[in-house]
Amino acid sequence: LLAAALCAPRGEPSAVLEFADVAPVPVRSRIRARLWLAGRLAVEDGHLAFRPTRAVLRRPSGAVVVDVDEFTAAAPDPLALAEARLLTHLADCHDDAVQRLTRLVDPDSLHGAVRVRPLAVDRHGLTLRIERVRDHGDVRLPFHAPADEIAQLTERVHVLLAQAGTVSCPRALQRQRADGDG
């Protein structure tokens, strides 16, 4: 790429970079989002540099153009580096807690559910993937306050579990568990 940039007719060849956000927990349709960065490659101090000129974020809800200056100025979520470990631990060791959290979900969203798995977590909340035989949907459980570190995240999840403990189990999920599918 460095040679291509050095030999480019106009001096700065264009490029498109694609990033996929893949769920760390095995779920149907594991790609949670895609980010496309379009821009120019340039040689700076003997190294290849990418200068983005356009950013597009595509989620299941649709695509949105992101302002490049906002994108480059954005700080990463403080839980991003721990997300994979946290979600796999929740899925592998605390399925009972995941099932309990479904009490906070609108019962209509659970209709026909065959499996519920943790899909994402960030400083603002936890997202569950509700899988049905032919489709799936995601439900966001917001935290009462942002979590900036693991200890705060643990407290926020415990608050959600306490809230779930005060709600009766949705009928659809009770039937599912009685049938041995839960």
Side-chain angles (χ1 to χ4, degrees):
L1 287 175
L2 181 59
L6 287 170
C7 299
R10 293 186 313 245
E12 290 188 348
S14 60
V16 175
L17 304 177
E18 178 181 356
F19 300 91
D21 177 21
V22 180
V25 175
V27 292
R28 188 181 301 148
S29 299
R30 285 183 80 171
I31 304 226
R32 302 181 291 191
R34 289 186 189 274
L35 175 70
W36 288 280
L37 294 175
R40 300 245 176 242
L41 296 171
V43 179
E44 294 176 0
D45 297 326
H47 294 89
L48 189 62
F50 178 75
R51 295 186 191 140
T53 57
R54 182 173 171 94
V56 177
L57 178 64
R58 181 173 183 88
R59 294 182 179 156
S61 58
V64 61
V65 175
V66 179
D67 182 79
V68 174
D69 292 332
E70 287 181 37
F71 174 77
T72 56
D77 187 279
L79 303 174
L81 295 178
E83 183 194 30
R85 180 176 47 83
L86 294 167
L87 289 176
T88 54
H89 176 75
L90 185 60
D92 294 344
C93 302
H94 300 287
D95 188 57
D96 58 325
V98 174
Q99 298 309 314
R100 201 166 351 137
L101 288 170
T102 62
R103 294 178 182 186
L104 300 174
V105 175
D106 178 4
D108 290 338
S109 296
L110 294 171
H111 182 71
V114 295
R115 185 168 83 153
V116 178
R117 305 281 283 168
L119 177 70
V121 67
D122 59 44
R123 68 187 308 255
H124 298 288
L126 174 69
T127 302
L128 300 177
R129 167 70 46 94
I130 300 170
E131 295 183 353
R132 297 172 197 84
V133 172
R134 299 194 194 284
D135 67 354
H136 63 271
D138 300 335
V139 177
R140 180 98 166 141
L141 302 176
F143 296 142
H144 68 277
D148 293 322
E149 57 188 38
I150 302 296
Q152 289 176 341
L153 173 66
T154 301
E155 184 270 335
R156 303 309 188 262
V157 171
H158 282 263
V159 168
L160 288 175
L161 288 167
Q163 291 171 348
T166 65
V167 179
S168 64
C169 190
R171 292 194 204 293
L173 211 51
Q174 283 177 338
R175 226 181 353 266
Q176 173 186 325
R177 288 185 187 138
D179 293 342
D181 294 335

mmCIF file of all heavy atoms in Angstrom, residues 66-113:
data_model
loop_
_atom_site.group_PDB
_atom_site.id
_atom_site.type_symbol
_atom_site.label_atom_id
_atom_site.label_comp_id
_atom_site.label_asym_id
_atom_site.label_seq_id
_atom_site.Cartn_x
_atom_site.Cartn_y
_atom_site.Cartn_z
ATOM 1 N N VAL A 66 -22.079 9.507 9.563
ATOM 2 C CA VAL A 66 -21.531 10.077 10.786
ATOM 3 C C VAL A 66 -20.557 11.191 10.398
ATOM 4 O O VAL A 66 -19.712 10.992 9.517
ATOM 5 C CB VAL A 66 -20.792 8.995 11.612
ATOM 6 C CG1 VAL A 66 -20.188 9.582 12.873
ATOM 7 C CG2 VAL A 66 -21.735 7.847 11.937
ATOM 8 N N ASP A 67 -20.679 12.334 11.034
ATOM 9 C CA ASP A 67 -19.761 13.427 10.785
ATOM 10 C C ASP A 67 -18.338 12.961 11.116
ATOM 11 O O ASP A 67 -18.087 12.426 12.201
ATOM 12 C CB ASP A 67 -20.145 14.632 11.646
ATOM 13 C CG ASP A 67 -19.241 15.813 11.395
ATOM 14 O OD1 ASP A 67 -19.429 16.502 10.387
ATOM 15 O OD2 ASP A 67 -18.313 16.024 12.222
ATOM 16 N N VAL A 68 -17.411 13.146 10.177
ATOM 17 C CA VAL A 68 -16.043 12.659 10.350
ATOM 18 C C VAL A 68 -15.371 13.311 11.559
ATOM 19 O O VAL A 68 -14.656 12.644 12.315
ATOM 20 C CB VAL A 68 -15.213 12.866 9.064
ATOM 21 C CG1 VAL A 68 -13.752 12.507 9.284
ATOM 22 C CG2 VAL A 68 -15.784 12.040 7.931
ATOM 23 N N ASP A 69 -15.589 14.603 11.765
ATOM 24 C CA ASP A 69 -14.984 15.275 12.924
ATOM 25 C C ASP A 69 -15.537 14.706 14.233
ATOM 26 O O ASP A 69 -14.791 14.512 15.195
ATOM 27 C CB ASP A 69 -15.218 16.789 12.860
ATOM 28 C CG ASP A 69 -14.448 17.442 11.714
ATOM 29 O OD1 ASP A 69 -13.391 16.898 11.329
ATOM 30 O OD2 ASP A 69 -14.916 18.476 11.204
ATOM 31 N N GLU A 70 -16.847 14.445 14.276
ATOM 32 C CA GLU A 70 -17.429 13.829 15.474
ATOM 33 C C GLU A 70 -16.873 12.428 15.688
ATOM 34 O O GLU A 70 -16.594 12.026 16.820
ATOM 35 C CB GLU A 70 -18.960 13.773 15.360
ATOM 36 C CG GLU A 70 -19.644 15.099 15.513
ATOM 37 C CD GLU A 70 -21.151 14.968 15.408
ATOM 38 O OE1 GLU A 70 -21.707 13.953 15.893
ATOM 39 O OE2 GLU A 70 -21.767 15.880 14.837
ATOM 40 N N PHE A 71 -16.714 11.683 14.598
ATOM 41 C CA PHE A 71 -16.183 10.328 14.687
ATOM 42 C C PHE A 71 -14.768 10.333 15.259
ATOM 43 O O PHE A 71 -14.446 9.580 16.169
ATOM 44 C CB PHE A 71 -16.210 9.647 13.315
ATOM 45 C CG PHE A 71 -15.543 8.307 13.304
ATOM 46 C CD1 PHE A 71 -16.186 7.194 13.822
ATOM 47 C CD2 PHE A 71 -14.264 8.155 12.791
ATOM 48 C CE1 PHE A 71 -15.559 5.948 13.834
ATOM 49 C CE2 PHE A 71 -13.636 6.921 12.797
ATOM 50 C CZ PHE A 71 -14.290 5.820 13.314
ATOM 51 N N THR A 72 -13.907 11.184 14.726
ATOM 52 C CA THR A 72 -12.516 11.192 15.189
ATOM 53 C C THR A 72 -12.382 11.743 16.604
ATOM 54 O O THR A 72 -11.447 11.386 17.316
ATOM 55 C CB THR A 72 -11.610 11.992 14.231
ATOM 56 O OG1 THR A 72 -12.131 13.312 14.075
ATOM 57 C CG2 THR A 72 -11.525 11.328 12.869
ATOM 58 N N ALA A 73 -13.321 12.587 17.026
ATOM 59 C CA ALA A 73 -13.273 13.150 18.383
ATOM 60 C C ALA A 73 -13.936 12.243 19.423
ATOM 61 O O ALA A 73 -13.741 12.434 20.625
ATOM 62 C CB ALA A 73 -13.948 14.524 18.403
ATOM 63 N N ALA A 74 -14.707 11.254 18.988
ATOM 64 C CA ALA A 74 -15.450 10.401 19.915
ATOM 65 C C ALA A 74 -14.510 9.558 20.774
ATOM 66 O O ALA A 74 -13.519 9.011 20.289
ATOM 67 C CB ALA A 74 -16.403 9.492 19.143
ATOM 68 N N ALA A 75 -14.849 9.457 22.045
ATOM 69 C CA ALA A 75 -14.090 8.606 22.970
ATOM 70 C C ALA A 75 -14.710 7.214 22.970
ATOM 71 O O ALA A 75 -15.933 7.075 22.857
ATOM 72 C CB ALA A 75 -14.132 9.200 24.377
ATOM 73 N N PRO A 76 -13.904 6.180 23.096
ATOM 74 C CA PRO A 76 -14.473 4.823 23.152
ATOM 75 C C PRO A 76 -15.268 4.614 24.431
ATOM 76 O O PRO A 76 -15.023 5.279 25.442
ATOM 77 C CB PRO A 76 -13.241 3.921 23.108
ATOM 78 C CG PRO A 76 -12.108 4.775 23.541
ATOM 79 C CD PRO A 76 -12.459 6.188 23.190
ATOM 80 N N ASP A 77 -16.219 3.712 24.376
ATOM 81 C CA ASP A 77 -16.974 3.357 25.566
ATOM 82 C C ASP A 77 -15.989 2.782 26.582
ATOM 83 O O ASP A 77 -15.138 1.961 26.232
ATOM 84 C CB ASP A 77 -18.039 2.312 25.205
ATOM 85 C CG ASP A 77 -18.962 2.017 26.357
ATOM 86 O OD1 ASP A 77 -18.576 1.217 27.237
ATOM 87 O OD2 ASP A 77 -20.070 2.574 26.384
ATOM 88 N N PRO A 78 -16.074 3.188 27.844
ATOM 89 C CA PRO A 78 -15.096 2.716 28.840
ATOM 90 C C PRO A 78 -15.159 1.211 29.097
ATOM 91 O O PRO A 78 -14.225 0.643 29.640
ATOM 92 C CB PRO A 78 -15.436 3.517 30.094
ATOM 93 C CG PRO A 78 -16.812 4.025 29.891
ATOM 94 C CD PRO A 78 -17.019 4.143 28.412
ATOM 95 N N LEU A 79 -16.236 0.552 28.680
ATOM 96 C CA LEU A 79 -16.372 -0.889 28.903
ATOM 97 C C LEU A 79 -16.037 -1.703 27.652
ATOM 98 O O LEU A 79 -16.103 -2.930 27.678
ATOM 99 C CB LEU A 79 -17.797 -1.213 29.363
ATOM 100 C CG LEU A 79 -18.267 -0.489 30.622
ATOM 101 C CD1 LEU A 79 -19.725 -0.766 30.884
ATOM 102 C CD2 LEU A 79 -17.409 -0.862 31.805
ATOM 103 N N ALA A 80 -15.663 -1.031 26.568
ATOM 104 C CA ALA A 80 -15.471 -1.708 25.286
ATOM 105 C C ALA A 80 -14.454 -2.848 25.355
ATOM 106 O O ALA A 80 -14.694 -3.926 24.798
ATOM 107 C CB ALA A 80 -15.058 -0.700 24.215
ATOM 108 N N LEU A 81 -13.346 -2.648 26.014
ATOM 109 C CA LEU A 81 -12.314 -3.687 26.052
ATOM 110 C C LEU A 81 -12.724 -4.887 26.903
ATOM 111 O O LEU A 81 -12.192 -5.976 26.728
ATOM 112 C CB LEU A 81 -10.992 -3.108 26.546
ATOM 113 C CG LEU A 81 -10.357 -2.068 25.622
ATOM 114 C CD1 LEU A 81 -9.072 -1.513 26.240
ATOM 115 C CD2 LEU A 81 -10.066 -2.665 24.251
ATOM 116 N N ALA A 82 -13.659 -4.699 27.814
ATOM 117 C CA ALA A 82 -14.101 -5.792 28.680
ATOM 118 C C ALA A 82 -15.401 -6.434 28.194
ATOM 119 O O ALA A 82 -15.808 -7.464 28.727
ATOM 120 C CB ALA A 82 -14.290 -5.272 30.106
ATOM 121 N N GLU A 83 -16.032 -5.855 27.177
ATOM 122 C CA GLU A 83 -17.355 -6.323 26.756
ATOM 123 C C GLU A 83 -17.390 -7.811 26.412
ATOM 124 O O GLU A 83 -18.266 -8.544 26.870
ATOM 125 C CB GLU A 83 -17.882 -5.510 25.573
ATOM 126 C CG GLU A 83 -19.275 -5.949 25.178
ATOM 127 C CD GLU A 83 -19.739 -5.434 23.841
ATOM 128 O OE1 GLU A 83 -18.892 -5.220 22.948
ATOM 129 O OE2 GLU A 83 -20.959 -5.272 23.680
ATOM 130 N N ALA A 84 -16.474 -8.287 25.604
ATOM 131 C CA ALA A 84 -16.490 -9.692 25.177
ATOM 132 C C ALA A 84 -16.400 -10.625 26.379
ATOM 133 O O ALA A 84 -17.167 -11.591 26.494
ATOM 134 C CB ALA A 84 -15.355 -9.967 24.197
ATOM 135 N N ARG A 85 -15.482 -10.339 27.278
ATOM 136 C CA ARG A 85 -15.324 -11.175 28.476
ATOM 137 C C ARG A 85 -16.583 -11.126 29.343
ATOM 138 O O ARG A 85 -17.059 -12.155 29.831
ATOM 139 C CB ARG A 85 -14.107 -10.693 29.269
ATOM 140 C CG ARG A 85 -13.838 -11.473 30.533
ATOM 141 C CD ARG A 85 -12.562 -11.008 31.235
ATOM 142 N NE ARG A 85 -12.420 -9.560 31.376
ATOM 143 C CZ ARG A 85 -12.983 -8.847 32.367
ATOM 144 N NH1 ARG A 85 -13.710 -9.448 33.274
ATOM 145 N NH2 ARG A 85 -12.799 -7.546 32.435
ATOM 146 N N LEU A 86 -17.148 -9.955 29.511
ATOM 147 C CA LEU A 86 -18.342 -9.802 30.347
ATOM 148 C C LEU A 86 -19.540 -10.548 29.752
ATOM 149 O O LEU A 86 -20.261 -11.244 30.466
ATOM 150 C CB LEU A 86 -18.686 -8.323 30.512
ATOM 151 C CG LEU A 86 -17.673 -7.495 31.288
ATOM 152 C CD1 LEU A 86 -17.954 -6.009 31.110
ATOM 153 C CD2 LEU A 86 -17.692 -7.871 32.753
ATOM 154 N N LEU A 87 -19.747 -10.398 28.453
ATOM 155 C CA LEU A 87 -20.900 -11.054 27.821
ATOM 156 C C LEU A 87 -20.762 -12.568 27.790
ATOM 157 O O LEU A 87 -21.734 -13.289 28.038
ATOM 158 C CB LEU A 87 -21.112 -10.516 26.406
ATOM 159 C CG LEU A 87 -21.624 -9.085 26.313
ATOM 160 C CD1 LEU A 87 -21.698 -8.644 24.865
ATOM 161 C CD2 LEU A 87 -22.974 -8.930 26.994
ATOM 162 N N THR A 88 -19.561 -13.070 27.484
ATOM 163 C CA THR A 88 -19.401 -14.525 27.460
ATOM 164 C C THR A 88 -19.547 -15.103 28.864
ATOM 165 O O THR A 88 -20.114 -16.188 29.032
ATOM 166 C CB THR A 88 -18.060 -14.949 26.829
ATOM 167 O OG1 THR A 88 -16.990 -14.291 27.499
ATOM 168 C CG2 THR A 88 -18.015 -14.613 25.348
ATOM 169 N N HIS A 89 -19.074 -14.393 29.878
ATOM 170 C CA HIS A 89 -19.252 -14.857 31.258
ATOM 171 C C HIS A 89 -20.741 -14.883 31.612
ATOM 172 O O HIS A 89 -21.224 -15.865 32.188
ATOM 173 C CB HIS A 89 -18.486 -13.960 32.229
ATOM 174 C CG HIS A 89 -18.695 -14.313 33.665
ATOM 175 N ND1 HIS A 89 -18.094 -15.415 34.237
ATOM 176 C CD2 HIS A 89 -19.451 -13.731 34.630
ATOM 177 C CE1 HIS A 89 -18.476 -15.503 35.508
ATOM 178 N NE2 HIS A 89 -19.285 -14.482 35.767
ATOM 179 N N LEU A 90 -21.451 -13.832 31.255
ATOM 180 C CA LEU A 90 -22.889 -13.779 31.531
ATOM 181 C C LEU A 90 -23.615 -14.925 30.826
ATOM 182 O O LEU A 90 -24.440 -15.619 31.429
ATOM 183 C CB LEU A 90 -23.449 -12.424 31.094
ATOM 184 C CG LEU A 90 -24.907 -12.134 31.403
ATOM 185 C CD1 LEU A 90 -25.181 -12.184 32.902
ATOM 186 C CD2 LEU A 90 -25.300 -10.759 30.846
ATOM 187 N N ALA A 91 -23.285 -15.156 29.562
ATOM 188 C CA ALA A 91 -23.948 -16.213 28.789
ATOM 189 C C ALA A 91 -23.577 -17.611 29.274
ATOM 190 O O ALA A 91 -24.440 -18.491 29.374
ATOM 191 C CB ALA A 91 -23.598 -16.070 27.313
ATOM 192 N N ASP A 92 -22.309 -17.829 29.606
ATOM 193 C CA ASP A 92 -21.833 -19.164 29.968
ATOM 194 C C ASP A 92 -22.114 -19.546 31.421
ATOM 195 O O ASP A 92 -22.324 -20.717 31.721
ATOM 196 C CB ASP A 92 -20.329 -19.293 29.715
ATOM 197 C CG ASP A 92 -19.967 -19.199 28.243
ATOM 198 O OD1 ASP A 92 -20.872 -19.332 27.391
ATOM 199 O OD2 ASP A 92 -18.776 -18.979 27.952
ATOM 200 N N CYS A 93 -22.094 -18.559 32.318
ATOM 201 C CA CYS A 93 -22.167 -18.872 33.746
ATOM 202 C C CYS A 93 -23.431 -18.370 34.438
ATOM 203 O O CYS A 93 -23.697 -18.766 35.580
ATOM 204 C CB CYS A 93 -20.956 -18.279 34.465
ATOM 205 S SG CYS A 93 -19.387 -18.878 33.812
ATOM 206 N N HIS A 94 -24.173 -17.499 33.781
ATOM 207 C CA HIS A 94 -25.330 -16.896 34.452
ATOM 208 C C HIS A 94 -26.561 -16.873 33.559
ATOM 209 O O HIS A 94 -27.270 -15.860 33.485
ATOM 210 C CB HIS A 94 -24.985 -15.478 34.923
ATOM 211 C CG HIS A 94 -23.852 -15.444 35.894
ATOM 212 N ND1 HIS A 94 -23.984 -15.865 37.195
ATOM 213 C CD2 HIS A 94 -22.562 -15.059 35.729
ATOM 214 C CE1 HIS A 94 -22.815 -15.729 37.805
ATOM 215 N NE2 HIS A 94 -21.931 -15.250 36.936
ATOM 216 N N ASP A 95 -26.843 -18.001 32.896
ATOM 217 C CA ASP A 95 -28.031 -18.054 32.040
ATOM 218 C C ASP A 95 -29.294 -17.795 32.853
ATOM 219 O O ASP A 95 -30.252 -17.206 32.344
ATOM 220 C CB ASP A 95 -28.120 -19.409 31.327
ATOM 221 C CG ASP A 95 -29.231 -19.423 30.297
ATOM 222 O OD1 ASP A 95 -29.212 -18.561 29.395
ATOM 223 O OD2 ASP A 95 -30.148 -20.269 30.421
ATOM 224 N N ASP A 96 -29.299 -18.202 34.121
ATOM 225 C CA ASP A 96 -30.459 -17.939 34.974
ATOM 226 C C ASP A 96 -30.703 -16.438 35.123
ATOM 227 O O ASP A 96 -31.843 -15.974 35.109
ATOM 228 C CB ASP A 96 -30.277 -18.585 36.349
ATOM 229 C CG ASP A 96 -29.014 -18.092 37.061
ATOM 230 O OD1 ASP A 96 -27.990 -17.832 36.385
ATOM 231 O OD2 ASP A 96 -29.042 -17.969 38.298
ATOM 232 N N ALA A 97 -29.641 -15.658 35.221
ATOM 233 C CA ALA A 97 -29.771 -14.204 35.333
ATOM 234 C C ALA A 97 -30.302 -13.618 34.023
ATOM 235 O O ALA A 97 -31.154 -12.723 34.041
ATOM 236 C CB ALA A 97 -28.438 -13.574 35.698
ATOM 237 N N VAL A 98 -29.816 -14.122 32.891
ATOM 238 C CA VAL A 98 -30.307 -13.651 31.591
ATOM 239 C C VAL A 98 -31.803 -13.929 31.487
ATOM 240 O O VAL A 98 -32.584 -13.064 31.077
ATOM 241 C CB VAL A 98 -29.538 -14.311 30.428
ATOM 242 C CG1 VAL A 98 -30.155 -13.943 29.076
ATOM 243 C CG2 VAL A 98 -28.068 -13.916 30.472
ATOM 244 N N GLN A 99 -32.207 -15.127 31.877
ATOM 245 C CA GLN A 99 -33.629 -15.461 31.827
ATOM 246 C C GLN A 99 -34.448 -14.570 32.769
ATOM 247 O O GLN A 99 -35.558 -14.157 32.438
ATOM 248 C CB GLN A 99 -33.847 -16.945 32.157
ATOM 249 C CG GLN A 99 -33.179 -17.895 31.183
ATOM 250 C CD GLN A 99 -33.494 -17.591 29.736
ATOM 251 O OE1 GLN A 99 -34.631 -17.354 29.359
ATOM 252 N NE2 GLN A 99 -32.464 -17.578 28.900
ATOM 253 N N ARG A 100 -33.901 -14.268 33.930
ATOM 254 C CA ARG A 100 -34.589 -13.386 34.879
ATOM 255 C C ARG A 100 -34.763 -11.981 34.299
ATOM 256 O O ARG A 100 -35.783 -11.331 34.507
ATOM 257 C CB ARG A 100 -33.825 -13.340 36.196
ATOM 258 C CG ARG A 100 -34.677 -12.892 37.346
ATOM 259 C CD ARG A 100 -34.047 -13.145 38.707
ATOM 260 N NE ARG A 100 -32.845 -13.948 38.664
ATOM 261 C CZ ARG A 100 -31.747 -13.699 39.366
ATOM 262 N NH1 ARG A 100 -31.700 -12.687 40.183
ATOM 263 N NH2 ARG A 100 -30.696 -14.480 39.282
ATOM 264 N N LEU A 101 -33.758 -11.527 33.556
ATOM 265 C CA LEU A 101 -33.832 -10.193 32.951
ATOM 266 C C LEU A 101 -34.955 -10.085 31.920
ATOM 267 O O LEU A 101 -35.451 -8.987 31.652
ATOM 268 C CB LEU A 101 -32.497 -9.819 32.312
ATOM 269 C CG LEU A 101 -31.365 -9.503 33.282
ATOM 270 C CD1 LEU A 101 -30.034 -9.392 32.545
ATOM 271 C CD2 LEU A 101 -31.663 -8.240 34.073
ATOM 272 N N THR A 102 -35.383 -11.215 31.364
ATOM 273 C CA THR A 102 -36.474 -11.164 30.389
ATOM 274 C C THR A 102 -37.779 -10.700 31.027
ATOM 275 O O THR A 102 -38.695 -10.292 30.321
ATOM 276 C CB THR A 102 -36.713 -12.534 29.708
ATOM 277 O OG1 THR A 102 -37.094 -13.500 30.687
ATOM 278 C CG2 THR A 102 -35.482 -12.989 28.954
ATOM 279 N N ARG A 103 -37.854 -10.704 32.345
ATOM 280 C CA ARG A 103 -39.047 -10.184 33.019
ATOM 281 C C ARG A 103 -39.199 -8.682 32.815
ATOM 282 O O ARG A 103 -40.282 -8.137 33.001
ATOM 283 C CB ARG A 103 -38.975 -10.501 34.513
ATOM 284 C CG ARG A 103 -39.034 -11.981 34.799
ATOM 285 C CD ARG A 103 -38.905 -12.252 36.268
ATOM 286 N NE ARG A 103 -38.922 -13.687 36.526
ATOM 287 C CZ ARG A 103 -38.942 -14.221 37.729
ATOM 288 N NH1 ARG A 103 -38.935 -13.444 38.793
ATOM 289 N NH2 ARG A 103 -38.962 -15.519 37.878
ATOM 290 N N LEU A 104 -38.110 -8.019 32.422
ATOM 291 C CA LEU A 104 -38.150 -6.581 32.162
ATOM 292 C C LEU A 104 -38.531 -6.261 30.714
ATOM 293 O O LEU A 104 -38.645 -5.102 30.335
ATOM 294 C CB LEU A 104 -36.790 -5.949 32.483
ATOM 295 C CG LEU A 104 -36.316 -6.093 33.918
ATOM 296 C CD1 LEU A 104 -34.898 -5.553 34.074
ATOM 297 C CD2 LEU A 104 -37.274 -5.396 34.874
ATOM 298 N N VAL A 105 -38.728 -7.304 29.911
ATOM 299 C CA VAL A 105 -39.029 -7.158 28.485
ATOM 300 C C VAL A 105 -40.542 -7.227 28.283
ATOM 301 O O VAL A 105 -41.223 -8.015 28.943
ATOM 302 C CB VAL A 105 -38.318 -8.274 27.684
ATOM 303 C CG1 VAL A 105 -38.695 -8.248 26.230
ATOM 304 C CG2 VAL A 105 -36.806 -8.165 27.864
ATOM 305 N N ASP A 106 -41.031 -6.419 27.360
ATOM 306 C CA ASP A 106 -42.456 -6.461 27.006
ATOM 307 C C ASP A 106 -42.812 -7.899 26.601
ATOM 308 O O ASP A 106 -42.153 -8.475 25.732
ATOM 309 C CB ASP A 106 -42.708 -5.504 25.844
ATOM 310 C CG ASP A 106 -44.147 -5.500 25.352
ATOM 311 O OD1 ASP A 106 -45.005 -6.172 25.947
ATOM 312 O OD2 ASP A 106 -44.405 -4.801 24.349
ATOM 313 N N PRO A 107 -43.831 -8.485 27.230
ATOM 314 C CA PRO A 107 -44.189 -9.879 26.922
ATOM 315 C C PRO A 107 -44.442 -10.139 25.439
ATOM 316 O O PRO A 107 -44.151 -11.225 24.942
ATOM 317 C CB PRO A 107 -45.453 -10.117 27.747
ATOM 318 C CG PRO A 107 -45.357 -9.142 28.870
ATOM 319 C CD PRO A 107 -44.659 -7.941 28.304
ATOM 320 N N ASP A 108 -44.937 -9.136 24.702
ATOM 321 C CA ASP A 108 -45.157 -9.324 23.264
ATOM 322 C C ASP A 108 -43.843 -9.578 22.528
ATOM 323 O O ASP A 108 -43.807 -10.304 21.540
ATOM 324 C CB ASP A 108 -45.857 -8.104 22.657
ATOM 325 C CG ASP A 108 -47.313 -7.988 23.130
ATOM 326 O OD1 ASP A 108 -47.885 -9.011 23.562
ATOM 327 O OD2 ASP A 108 -47.848 -6.866 23.049
ATOM 328 N N SER A 109 -42.752 -8.999 23.018
ATOM 329 C CA SER A 109 -41.445 -9.208 22.398
ATOM 330 C C SER A 109 -40.943 -10.630 22.621
ATOM 331 O O SER A 109 -40.088 -11.111 21.874
ATOM 332 C CB SER A 109 -40.417 -8.232 22.972
ATOM 333 O OG SER A 109 -40.761 -6.916 22.658
ATOM 334 N N LEU A 110 -41.454 -11.288 23.647
ATOM 335 C CA LEU A 110 -41.010 -12.650 23.960
ATOM 336 C C LEU A 110 -41.864 -13.721 23.291
ATOM 337 O O LEU A 110 -41.557 -14.908 23.392
ATOM 338 C CB LEU A 110 -41.027 -12.860 25.479
ATOM 339 C CG LEU A 110 -40.026 -12.011 26.257
ATOM 340 C CD1 LEU A 110 -40.285 -12.130 27.748
ATOM 341 C CD2 LEU A 110 -38.610 -12.412 25.912
ATOM 342 N N HIS A 111 -42.928 -13.303 22.614
ATOM 343 C CA HIS A 111 -43.814 -14.277 21.969
ATOM 344 C C HIS A 111 -43.020 -15.135 20.980
ATOM 345 O O HIS A 111 -42.348 -14.629 20.104
ATOM 346 C CB HIS A 111 -44.961 -13.570 21.244
ATOM 347 C CG HIS A 111 -45.923 -14.517 20.616
ATOM 348 N ND1 HIS A 111 -46.778 -15.287 21.365
ATOM 349 C CD2 HIS A 111 -46.132 -14.848 19.330
ATOM 350 C CE1 HIS A 111 -47.489 -16.053 20.563
ATOM 351 N NE2 HIS A 111 -47.113 -15.804 19.321
ATOM 352 N N GLY A 112 -43.071 -16.433 21.150
ATOM 353 C CA GLY A 112 -42.380 -17.371 20.275
ATOM 354 C C GLY A 112 -40.885 -17.498 20.537
ATOM 355 O O GLY A 112 -40.177 -18.133 19.759
ATOM 356 N N ALA A 113 -40.398 -16.906 21.623
ATOM 357 C CA ALA A 113 -38.962 -16.957 21.907
ATOM 358 C C ALA A 113 -38.506 -18.388 22.163
ATOM 359 O O ALA A 113 -39.148 -19.133 22.894
ATOM 360 C CB ALA A 113 -38.632 -16.088 23.113
#
